[in-house]
Every structure is written in structure tokens, then in C-alpha cells.
Amino acid sequence: REQREHPRTFASYTFVYPVLSRRLGGVSIGINVNIDKNCNFDCPYCQVDRSILPKSIPADPPVIRKELESLLSQIDSTGICRMERFANIEDQYKHLLDFALSGDGEPTLISNFAEVCQTLYEVQENSHLNFQLTLITNATLLNQKRVIEGLSWLCKQKGEVWAKLDAGTDEWYQKVNVSKVSLDQVEKNIILCAQQFPTKIQSLFCALHGEVPGENELKAYLQRLKNIHASGATILEVQLHTLARVPSANWCSAVDESFLTNLKERIEMETPLRAHIYGVYGS
């Protein structure tokens, strides 16, 4: 249940929350810097309900630092999380693997993004534990100077950017992501980022009103992967997944496992990139 829902609240903390990450196969401490749900995407598959907006709480680096250090105190010297909420889970799945800068919106939208990233790096540097820093982003602002400055902190020691690419054509992009930022700009931003920082592409595929991406869409998606690789950018992995939690739009549903399996095979056959399907916890 914990893995399916990924609640972004924990105890009395404002910004941080521990979850079991299916993509990492262990514990991830999330940092929700978008409590106001601010996002420049409007994905129908998103679990965040934006019909009721909460009170805006700006990201506060000192508070984030305090909350992270408090959670780290609940992790033993071997990196095993001893929080009560994970008490019934085997130790092999309770290793702390990362701090993930993500949340209820697009984290790079916050004005003090670089300061937050510097805070995460300082907490990481001062800890004896071995974990990475991860930015989960829709890639729309990766070309911004303040974002690049933040990533220089985030990736200074052990960090990665997980950049979203959910479409190949503008038509499907506007159905599945709904954004004023063009898909071409997203592709350019991923290239710029991956030329400087360790980067993975994360792609979610789903059915909209029962319609799944067709052959023309998949060819266009594969071409964008080829473009990114041909630019000289290094992509560590393409993460393929589908719905794991209840979406905000009830006409959005998961694709079959065979869809992802076939796409993985095509990616690895038609491009030099490595792909991995993320579904059931631990896979």
C-alpha cells in the first residue's frame, strides 16, 4: 500500500517524507517543495488533485535541512531505515538510497531552487551514509541559469536528474502532459542537461479514453531518443512505467505490461540506450 500511494506527508514534517521507491528498490526520502501544487504540466495521469489548492508554503531551506537531519537520525549505521511505518518490511528493502527532490508540482519552478539543492548537498556531505540526490523533473526549465546552478550542487558528489519524456509527437504531448512549453524545448533541455549532469529519462505511458500511443507516436518517441543520443548527451537509462496510483482523471488508465515490454525491446534494438521497466515493487 505504501508503494502504491506514495503519501507526501509524514508525522509533523512540512517538506520531507519517506517512501518505498519501486524504481530504486529501497527507501527514498522525498522533498516536496511544491506544497502549493504549482506545476507547468497538467498531466491527466497525475495523482495530485488541483481542484482544491492548499495555502502556499514557500520552500524553506533551513526547515528542510532540519527535517532531513531528523529523518536521518532514524536510519542505522548500515543505512537501514528503522521508522515504524516500515517495520513490517524486510530489511533488504529498507536501505536509504536517495533524497528525491520532487513533490506535488514541478520543483524547478521555485525561485530558490539553487539554495535548496545546496542544502541537500550539504546534508549529504555531512552524513556518513551512502545515498544519492535525485531531481525528478518534467525537464521544462533545465535550460534556466538558476536551475543549472542548482544541479551543479545536486550532482556535485552523487546525484542524478530524472527527466520526463512522455511523448514523441506534439499531439500526444498536449494530451498526456498539457503544457505551454513545447516538446521540442523539452528535448533540447534534456540534451543540455545530459551533456553536463548524470541523467535518466523517465517515460510514463498510459491510455487516454482507452486510446494508447499508436505506431506513429512510438516512432516519433524513438526518434527523439535517437536525437538525444546523437547530440553526444549521455543517458544512463530510460525508465519505462505506467500508472501505479489513482490518477486525477478517471479516463486515464494503465497500459498492458506487453506494451512496455515491446517498447523496451524496440528501444534497445533501435537505439544504443538501455531501458528498464518499473512496475511491481522490487522490479
Side-chain angles (χ1 to χ4, degrees), residues 2-283:
E2 172 70 36
Q3 181 222 349
R4 291 197 307 270
E5 297 185 0
H6 277 207
R8 295 194 180 101
T9 56
F10 178 68
S12 61
Y13 297 93
T14 301
F15 299 102
V16 307
Y17 56 98
V19 297
L20 293 176
S21 170
R22 60 197 174 112
R23 278 176 283 193
L24 288 174
V27 173
S28 174
I29 293 179
I31 301 96
N32 183 7
V33 292
N34 300 106
I35 294 175
D36 58 2
K37 302 183 182 180
N38 188 23
C39 194
N40 55 1
F41 269 19
D42 189 17
C43 307
Y45 63 70
C46 184
Q47 73 180 104
V48 179
D49 180 3
R50 291 185 170 80
S51 62
I52 301 177
L53 297 180
K55 180 180 178 181
S56 178
I57 302 178
D60 188 331
V63 174
I64 291 172
R65 181 194 301 270
K66 182 178 179 181
E67 292 182 356
L68 287 173
E69 290 174 344
S70 176
L71 284 189
L72 285 179
S73 70
Q74 300 179 59
I75 297 169
D76 67 24
S77 60
T78 66
I80 301 294
C81 181
R82 297 302 178 190
M83 296 175 198
E84 185 178 350
R85 76 187 308 174
F86 301 141
N88 296 326
I89 298 169
E90 296 178 29
D91 279 1
Q92 63 177 316
Y93 297 126
K94 295 193 294 187
H95 282 279
L96 173 66
L97 298 179
D98 83 345
F99 287 175
L101 185 54
S102 60
D104 288 333
E106 171 50 39
T108 60
L109 282 169
I110 63 173
S111 60
N112 59 344
F113 178 78
E115 186 181 355
V116 169
C117 289
Q118 181 177 352
T119 297
L120 300 189
Y121 165 72
E122 291 172 352
V123 174
Q124 179 193 47
E125 186 181 37
N126 292 329
S127 174
H128 67 280
L129 298 170
N130 181 28
F131 58 89
Q132 76 174 38
L133 304 180
T134 305
L135 168 67
I136 301 176
T137 175
N138 63 22
T140 54
L141 300 176
L142 293 178
N143 60 333
Q144 300 293 308
K145 182 179 179 181
R146 60 182 181 79
V147 174
I148 294 171
E149 179 186 352
L151 294 181
S152 296
W153 284 107
L154 197 81
C155 299
K156 191 171 184 178
Q157 180 170 281
K158 185 181 179 184
E160 291 181 356
V161 178
W162 293 2
K164 178 179 292 298
L165 181 66
D166 289 344
T169 66
D170 290 322
E171 181 182 6
W172 187 258
Y173 172 66
Q174 289 303 336
K175 289 180 179 180
V176 77
N177 294 142
V178 192
S179 178
K180 293 180 180 180
V181 180
S182 72
L183 181 56
D184 285 346
Q185 186 62 59
V186 168
E187 180 185 311
K188 291 176 183 177
N189 289 353
I190 292 174
I191 289 172
L192 179 65
C193 178
Q195 288 174 338
Q196 303 174 75
F197 308 107
T199 302
K200 293 179 179 177
I201 289 176
Q202 54 168 356
S203 298
L204 186 146
F205 290 91
C206 59
L208 304 179
H209 298 288
E211 177 191 4
V212 299
E215 179 58 22
N216 288 340
E217 171 60 32
L218 295 180
K219 283 182 178 179
Y221 170 78
L222 289 166
Q223 184 58 54
R224 290 191 184 273
L225 293 183
K226 293 173 186 176
N227 295 345
I228 292 169
H229 180 266
S231 72
T234 300
I235 299 299
L236 303 177
E237 176 183 78
V238 179
Q239 303 173 338
L240 300 176
H241 59 130
T242 189
L243 296 185
R245 300 184 287 279
V246 178
S248 57
N250 60 12
W251 39 266
C252 184
S253 57
V255 295
D256 293 337
E257 183 178 354
S258 60
F259 180 98
L260 296 181
T261 300
N262 292 335
L263 182 55
K264 175 184 185 298
E265 291 175 354
R266 290 184 66 173
I267 290 172
E268 297 185 336
M269 185 180 348
E270 298 180 32
T271 81
L273 302 177
R274 179 171 59 95
H276 193 105
I277 297 171
Y278 292 86
V280 180
Y281 177 69
S283 68

